Coordinates of all heavy atoms in Angstrom, one line a residue:
G32 N -52.2 115.7 29.4 CA -52.7 116.4 30.6 C -52.1 117.7 30.4 O -52.3 118.5 29.5
V33 N -51.4 118.1 31.5 CA -50.7 119.5 31.4 C -49.2 119.5 31.1 O -48.7 120.5 30.9 CB -50.9 120.2 32.8 CG1 -52.4 120.5 33.0 CG2 -50.3 119.4 33.9
S34 N -48.7 118.2 30.9 CA -47.3 118.2 30.6 C -47.1 118.1 29.2 O -47.8 117.5 28.4 CB -46.6 117.0 31.3 OG -47.1 115.8 30.8
I35 N -46.0 118.7 28.7 CA -45.7 118.8 27.2 C -44.3 118.3 27.1 O -43.4 118.8 27.9 CB -45.9 120.1 26.6 CG1 -47.4 120.6 26.7 CG2 -45.4 120.2 25.2 CD1 -47.6 122.0 26.1
M36 N -44.0 117.3 26.2 CA -42.7 117.0 26.0 C -42.4 116.9 24.5 O -43.3 116.7 23.6 CB -42.4 115.6 26.6 CG -43.3 114.5 26.1 SD -43.1 113.0 27.1 CE -44.8 112.5 27.3
V37 N -41.2 117.2 24.2 CA -40.8 117.1 22.8 C -39.8 115.9 22.6 O -38.8 115.8 23.3 CB -40.0 118.4 22.4 CG1 -39.5 118.3 21.0 CG2 -40.8 119.7 22.6
L38 N -40.2 115.0 21.7 CA -39.5 113.8 21.5 C -38.9 113.8 20.1 O -39.5 114.3 19.1 CB -40.4 112.6 21.6 CG -41.0 112.3 23.0 CD1 -41.9 111.1 22.9 CD2 -39.9 112.1 24.0
S39 N -37.7 113.3 20.0 CA -37.1 113.1 18.6 C -37.9 112.0 17.9 O -38.6 111.2 18.5 CB -35.7 112.7 18.8 OG -35.5 111.4 19.3
T40 N -37.7 112.0 16.6 CA -38.4 111.0 15.8 C -38.0 109.6 16.3 O -38.8 108.7 16.3 CB -38.1 111.2 14.3 OG1 -38.6 112.5 13.9 CG2 -38.9 110.2 13.4
N41 N -36.7 109.5 16.5 CA -36.2 108.2 17.0 C -36.8 107.7 18.2 O -37.3 106.6 18.4 CB -34.6 108.2 17.1 CG -34.0 107.0 17.5 OD1 -34.3 105.9 16.8 ND2 -33.2 106.9 18.5
A42 N -36.9 108.6 19.3 CA -37.5 108.3 20.5 C -39.0 108.0 20.4 O -39.5 107.0 21.0 CB -37.3 109.4 21.6
E43 N -39.7 108.7 19.5 CA -41.1 108.5 19.3 C -41.3 107.1 18.6 O -42.2 106.4 19.0 CB -41.7 109.6 18.4 CG -43.1 109.4 18.2 CD -43.7 110.5 17.2 OE1 -43.0 111.4 16.8 OE2 -44.9 110.2 16.7
N44 N -40.5 106.8 17.6 CA -40.6 105.5 17.0 C -40.4 104.3 17.9 O -41.0 103.3 17.8 CB -39.8 105.5 15.7 CG -40.2 106.3 14.6 OD1 -41.5 106.7 14.5 ND2 -39.3 106.8 13.8
F45 N -39.3 104.5 18.8 CA -39.1 103.5 19.7 C -40.2 103.2 20.7 O -40.6 102.1 21.0 CB -37.7 103.8 20.5 CG -37.3 102.6 21.3 CD1 -36.8 101.5 20.9 CD2 -37.3 102.8 22.7 CE1 -36.3 100.5 21.7 CE2 -36.9 101.8 23.6 CZ -36.4 100.6 23.0
L46 N -40.8 104.4 21.2 CA -41.9 104.2 22.1 C -43.1 103.5 21.4 O -43.8 102.7 22.0 CB -42.3 105.6 22.6 CG -43.5 105.7 23.6 CD1 -43.2 104.8 24.9 CD2 -43.8 107.1 24.0
K47 N -43.4 103.9 20.1 CA -44.4 103.2 19.4 C -44.1 101.8 19.3 O -45.0 100.9 19.3 CB -44.6 103.9 18.0 CG -45.3 105.2 18.0 CD -45.3 105.8 16.7 CE -46.0 107.2 16.6 NZ -46.0 107.7 15.3
Y48 N -42.8 101.4 19.0 CA -42.5 100.0 18.9 C -42.8 99.3 20.2 O -43.4 98.2 20.2 CB -40.9 100.0 18.6 CG -40.3 98.6 18.6 CD1 -40.5 97.8 17.5 CD2 -39.5 98.2 19.7 CE1 -39.8 96.6 17.5 CE2 -38.9 97.0 19.7 CZ -39.0 96.1 18.6 OH -38.5 95.0 18.6
L49 N -42.4 99.9 21.4 CA -42.7 99.2 22.6 C -44.2 99.1 22.9 O -44.7 98.1 23.3 CB -42.1 100.0 23.8 CG -40.6 100.1 23.8 CD1 -40.1 101.0 25.0 CD2 -40.0 98.7 23.9
L50 N -44.9 100.1 22.5 CA -46.4 100.1 22.7 C -47.0 99.0 21.8 O -48.0 98.4 22.2 CB -47.0 101.5 22.4 CG -46.7 102.6 23.4 CD1 -47.1 103.9 22.9 CD2 -47.5 102.3 24.7
D51 N -46.6 98.8 20.6 CA -47.0 97.7 19.7 C -46.8 96.4 20.4 O -47.7 95.6 20.4 CB -46.4 97.8 18.4 CG -46.9 99.0 17.5 OD1 -48.0 99.6 17.9 OD2 -46.3 99.3 16.5
I52 N -45.6 96.2 21.0 CA -45.4 94.9 21.6 C -46.3 94.8 22.8 O -46.9 93.7 23.1 CB -43.9 94.8 22.1 CG1 -43.0 94.8 20.9 CG2 -43.7 93.6 23.0 CD1 -41.5 94.9 21.2
Y53 N -46.5 95.9 23.6 CA -47.4 95.9 24.8 C -48.8 95.5 24.4 O -49.4 94.7 25.0 CB -47.3 97.2 25.5 CG -48.4 97.3 26.6 CD1 -48.1 96.6 27.8 CD2 -49.5 97.9 26.5 CE1 -49.0 96.7 28.8 CE2 -50.5 98.0 27.5 CZ -50.2 97.3 28.6 OH -51.1 97.4 29.7
R54 N -49.3 96.1 23.3 CA -50.7 95.8 22.9 C -50.9 94.3 22.5 O -51.9 93.7 22.7 CB -51.0 96.7 21.7 CG -51.3 98.1 22.1 CD -51.8 98.9 21.0 NE -51.7 100.4 21.3 CZ -50.8 101.2 20.9 NH1 -49.9 100.8 20.0 NH2 -50.8 102.4 21.2
D55 N -49.8 93.8 21.9 CA -49.9 92.3 21.5 C -49.7 91.4 22.7 O -50.4 90.3 22.8 CB -48.8 92.0 20.5 CG -49.1 92.6 19.2 OD1 -50.2 93.1 18.9 OD2 -48.1 92.7 18.4
T56 N -48.9 91.7 23.7 CA -48.6 90.8 24.7 C -49.2 91.1 26.1 O -49.3 90.2 27.0 CB -47.0 90.7 24.9 OG1 -46.6 92.0 25.4 CG2 -46.3 90.3 23.7
K57 N -49.6 92.4 26.2 CA -50.1 92.8 27.6 C -49.0 92.7 28.7 O -49.3 92.8 29.8 CB -51.4 92.2 28.0 CG -52.5 92.3 27.0 CD -52.8 93.7 26.8 CE -54.0 93.8 25.8 NZ -54.0 95.0 25.0
E58 N -47.8 92.6 28.3 CA -46.7 92.6 29.2 C -45.9 93.9 29.2 O -45.4 94.3 28.1 CB -45.7 91.4 28.9 CG -46.2 90.0 29.2 CD -46.3 89.7 30.7 OE1 -45.3 90.2 31.4 OE2 -47.1 89.0 31.0
N59 N -45.8 94.5 30.4 CA -45.0 95.8 30.4 C -43.5 95.5 30.9 O -43.1 96.2 31.8 CB -45.8 96.8 31.2 CG -45.2 98.2 31.1 OD1 -44.4 98.5 30.2 ND2 -45.5 99.0 32.0
K60 N -42.9 94.6 30.2 CA -41.5 94.3 30.6 C -40.8 94.0 29.2 O -41.3 93.2 28.5 CB -41.4 93.1 31.5 CG -41.7 93.4 32.9 CD -41.5 92.1 33.7 CE -42.0 92.3 35.1 NZ -41.8 91.1 35.9
F61 N -39.7 94.8 28.9 CA -39.1 94.6 27.7 C -37.6 94.4 28.0 O -36.9 95.3 28.4 CB -39.3 95.9 26.8 CG -40.7 96.3 26.6 CD1 -41.3 97.2 27.5 CD2 -41.5 95.8 25.6 CE1 -42.6 97.5 27.4 CE2 -42.8 96.1 25.5 CZ -43.4 97.0 26.4
Y62 N -37.2 93.2 27.7 CA -35.8 92.9 27.9 C -34.9 93.2 26.7 O -35.5 93.3 25.6 CB -35.6 91.4 28.3 CG -36.3 91.0 29.6 CD1 -37.6 90.4 29.6 CD2 -35.7 91.3 30.8 CE1 -38.2 90.2 30.9 CE2 -36.3 91.1 32.0 CZ -37.6 90.5 32.0 OH -38.2 90.3 33.2
Y63 N -33.7 93.3 26.9 CA -32.7 93.8 25.9 C -32.9 93.0 24.6 O -33.0 93.6 23.5 CB -31.3 93.7 26.4 CG -30.3 94.1 25.3 CD1 -30.1 95.4 25.1 CD2 -29.5 93.2 24.6 CE1 -29.3 95.9 24.1 CE2 -28.6 93.6 23.6 CZ -28.5 94.9 23.4 OH -27.6 95.4 22.4
F64 N -33.1 91.7 24.6 CA -33.2 90.9 23.4 C -34.5 91.3 22.6 O -34.5 91.1 21.4 CB -33.3 89.4 23.7 CG -34.4 89.0 24.5 CD1 -35.6 88.6 23.9 CD2 -34.4 88.8 25.9 CE1 -36.8 88.2 24.6 CE2 -35.5 88.4 26.6 CZ -36.7 88.1 26.0
S65 N -35.5 91.9 23.2 CA -36.7 92.3 22.5 C -36.5 93.6 21.7 O -37.3 93.9 20.9 CB -37.9 92.3 23.4 OG -37.8 93.4 24.3
Y66 N -35.5 94.4 22.1 CA -35.4 95.7 21.4 C -34.0 95.9 20.9 O -33.7 96.9 20.3 CB -35.8 96.9 22.3 CG -35.0 97.0 23.6 CD1 -33.8 97.6 23.6 CD2 -35.5 96.6 24.8 CE1 -33.1 97.7 24.8 CE2 -34.9 96.7 25.9 CZ -33.6 97.3 26.0 OH -32.9 97.4 27.1
M67 N -33.1 94.9 20.9 CA -31.6 95.1 20.6 C -31.5 95.4 19.1 O -30.4 96.0 18.8 CB -30.8 93.9 21.0 CG -31.2 92.6 20.3 SD -30.1 91.3 21.0 CE -30.6 90.0 19.9
D68 N -32.4 95.0 18.2 CA -32.3 95.3 16.8 C -32.9 96.6 16.4 O -32.7 96.9 15.2 CB -32.9 94.1 16.0 CG -32.2 92.8 16.2 OD1 -31.0 92.8 16.4 OD2 -32.8 91.7 16.1
F69 N -33.5 97.3 17.3 CA -34.0 98.6 16.9 C -32.8 99.6 16.8 O -32.1 99.8 17.7 CB -35.0 99.1 18.0 CG -35.9 100.3 17.7 CD1 -37.1 100.1 17.0 CD2 -35.4 101.6 17.8 CE1 -37.8 101.2 16.6 CE2 -36.1 102.7 17.4 CZ -37.4 102.4 16.8
P70 N -32.8 100.3 15.6 CA -31.7 101.2 15.5 C -31.7 102.4 16.5 O -32.7 102.9 16.9 CB -32.0 101.8 14.1 CG -33.0 101.0 13.4 CD -33.8 100.2 14.6
N71 N -30.5 102.7 17.0 CA -30.3 103.8 18.0 C -31.1 103.7 19.2 O -31.6 104.7 19.8 CB -30.5 105.1 17.3 CG -29.6 105.3 16.1 OD1 -28.4 105.1 16.2 ND2 -30.1 105.7 15.0
H72 N -31.3 102.5 19.7 CA -32.2 102.2 20.8 C -31.6 102.8 22.1 O -32.3 103.3 23.0 CB -32.5 100.7 21.1 CG -31.3 99.9 21.4 ND1 -30.6 99.3 20.4 CD2 -30.7 99.7 22.5 CE1 -29.6 98.6 21.0 NE2 -29.7 98.8 22.3
D73 N -30.3 102.9 22.2 CA -29.7 103.5 23.4 C -30.1 105.0 23.6 O -30.4 105.4 24.7 CB -28.2 103.3 23.4 CG -27.6 101.9 23.6 OD1 -28.4 101.2 24.3 OD2 -26.6 101.6 23.1
S74 N -29.9 105.7 22.5 CA -30.3 107.2 22.6 C -31.8 107.4 22.8 O -32.1 108.3 23.5 CB -29.8 108.0 21.4 OG -30.4 107.4 20.2
A75 N -32.6 106.5 22.2 CA -34.1 106.6 22.4 C -34.4 106.3 23.8 O -35.2 107.0 24.4 CB -34.8 105.6 21.4
I76 N -33.8 105.3 24.4 CA -34.1 104.9 25.8 C -33.7 106.1 26.7 O -34.4 106.5 27.6 CB -33.4 103.7 26.2 CG1 -34.0 102.4 25.5 CG2 -33.4 103.4 27.7 CD1 -33.3 101.1 25.5
E77 N -32.5 106.6 26.5 CA -32.0 107.7 27.3 C -33.0 108.9 27.2 O -33.4 109.5 28.3 CB -30.6 108.2 26.9 CG -30.0 109.3 27.7 CD -28.6 109.7 27.2 OE1 -27.9 108.8 26.7 OE2 -28.3 110.8 27.2
E78 N -33.4 109.2 26.0 CA -34.4 110.4 25.9 C -35.8 110.1 26.6 O -36.4 110.9 27.3 CB -34.6 110.7 24.5 CG -35.5 111.8 24.2 CD -35.6 112.2 22.7 OE1 -34.8 111.7 21.9 OE2 -36.5 112.9 22.3
L79 N -36.3 108.9 26.4 CA -37.5 108.4 27.0 C -37.5 108.4 28.5 O -38.5 108.8 29.2 CB -38.0 107.1 26.4 CG -38.4 107.2 24.9 CD1 -38.6 105.8 24.3 CD2 -39.7 108.1 24.7
V80 N -36.4 108.0 29.0 CA -36.2 108.0 30.5 C -36.2 109.4 31.0 O -36.9 109.7 32.0 CB -34.9 107.2 30.9 CG1 -34.6 107.5 32.4 CG2 -35.0 105.7 30.6
E81 N -35.5 110.3 30.4 CA -35.4 111.7 30.8 C -36.8 112.3 30.7 O -37.1 113.2 31.5 CB -34.5 112.5 29.8 CG -33.0 112.2 30.1 CD -32.1 112.9 29.0 OE1 -32.6 113.6 28.2 OE2 -30.9 112.6 29.1
N82 N -37.6 111.9 29.8 CA -39.0 112.5 29.7 C -40.0 111.7 30.5 O -41.3 111.9 30.3 CB -39.4 112.6 28.2 CG -38.7 113.7 27.5 OD1 -39.1 114.9 27.7 ND2 -37.7 113.5 26.7
H83 N -39.5 110.7 31.2 CA -40.5 109.9 32.1 C -41.5 109.1 31.4 O -42.6 108.8 31.8 CB -41.2 110.8 33.2 CG -40.3 111.6 34.0 ND1 -39.4 111.1 34.9 CD2 -39.9 113.0 33.8 CE1 -38.6 112.1 35.4 NE2 -38.9 113.2 34.8
C84 N -41.2 108.7 30.1 CA -42.0 107.9 29.3 C -41.8 106.4 29.6 O -42.7 105.6 29.5 CB -41.8 108.2 27.8 SG -42.1 109.8 27.3
I85 N -40.6 106.1 29.9 CA -40.2 104.7 30.3 C -39.3 104.8 31.5 O -38.7 105.9 31.8 CB -39.5 103.9 29.1 CG1 -38.2 104.5 28.8 CG2 -40.4 103.8 28.0 CD1 -37.4 103.8 27.8
H86 N -39.0 103.7 32.1 CA -38.0 103.6 33.2 C -37.3 102.3 33.1 O -37.9 101.3 32.7 CB -38.6 103.9 34.6 CG -39.6 102.9 35.0 ND1 -41.0 103.0 34.7 CD2 -39.5 101.8 35.8 CE1 -41.6 102.0 35.2 NE2 -40.8 101.3 35.9
K87 N -36.1 102.3 33.6 CA -35.2 101.1 33.6 C -35.5 100.4 35.0 O -35.6 101.1 36.0 CB -33.8 101.5 33.4 CG -33.5 102.0 32.1 CD -32.0 102.4 32.1 CE -31.5 103.1 30.8 NZ -30.1 103.4 30.8
T88 N -35.5 99.1 35.0 CA -35.5 98.3 36.2 C -34.1 98.1 36.6 O -33.2 98.3 35.8 CB -36.3 97.0 36.0 OG1 -35.5 96.2 35.1 CG2 -37.7 97.2 35.5
N89 N -33.9 97.5 37.8 CA -32.5 97.2 38.2 C -32.1 95.8 37.7 O -31.2 95.2 38.3 CB -32.6 97.2 39.8 CG -32.7 98.7 40.3 OD1 -32.3 99.6 39.6 ND2 -33.2 98.8 41.5
S90 N -32.6 95.4 36.7 CA -32.3 94.1 36.1 C -31.1 94.1 35.3 O -30.8 95.1 34.6 CB -33.5 93.5 35.2 OG -33.1 92.4 34.5
I91 N -30.3 93.0 35.4 CA -29.0 92.9 34.5 C -29.4 92.6 33.1 O -28.6 92.6 32.2 CB -28.0 91.9 35.1 CG1 -28.7 90.5 35.2 CG2 -27.6 92.4 36.5 CD1 -27.7 89.5 35.5
N92 N -30.7 92.2 32.8 CA -31.1 91.9 31.5 C -31.6 93.0 30.7 O -32.1 92.9 29.6 CB -32.3 90.9 31.6 CG -31.9 89.6 32.3 OD1 -30.8 89.2 32.2 ND2 -32.8 89.1 33.1
G93 N -31.3 94.3 31.1 CA -31.6 95.4 30.4 C -33.2 95.7 30.2 O -33.6 96.1 29.2
C94 N -33.9 95.4 31.3 CA -35.3 95.5 31.3 C -35.7 96.9 31.4 O -35.3 97.7 32.3 CB -35.9 94.6 32.5 SG -37.7 94.6 32.4

Side-chain angles (χ1 to χ4, degrees):
V33 293
S34 62
I35 296 177
M36 59 188 135
V37 178
L38 296 178
S39 68
T40 302
N41 184 50
E43 180 185 351
N44 288 338
F45 186 71
L46 182 59
K47 286 179 182 178
Y48 175 77
L49 296 178
L50 287 168
D51 287 344
I52 294 172
Y53 173 77
R54 285 185 195 106
D55 289 342
T56 65
K57 301 300 182 213
E58 289 285 328
N59 190 12
K60 289 183 182 177
F61 307 93
Y62 295 100
Y63 180 74
F64 65 84
S65 67
Y66 60 81
M67 66 184 186
D68 293 330
F69 192 92
N71 301 313
H72 64 268
D73 287 333
S74 61
I76 290 170
E77 183 179 325
E78 183 177 343
L79 291 170
V80 167
E81 288 174 2
N82 283 287
H83 307 286
C84 297
I85 64 172
H86 62 275
K87 296 179 185 180
T88 66
N89 291 330
S90 169
I91 61 170
N92 298 325
C94 184

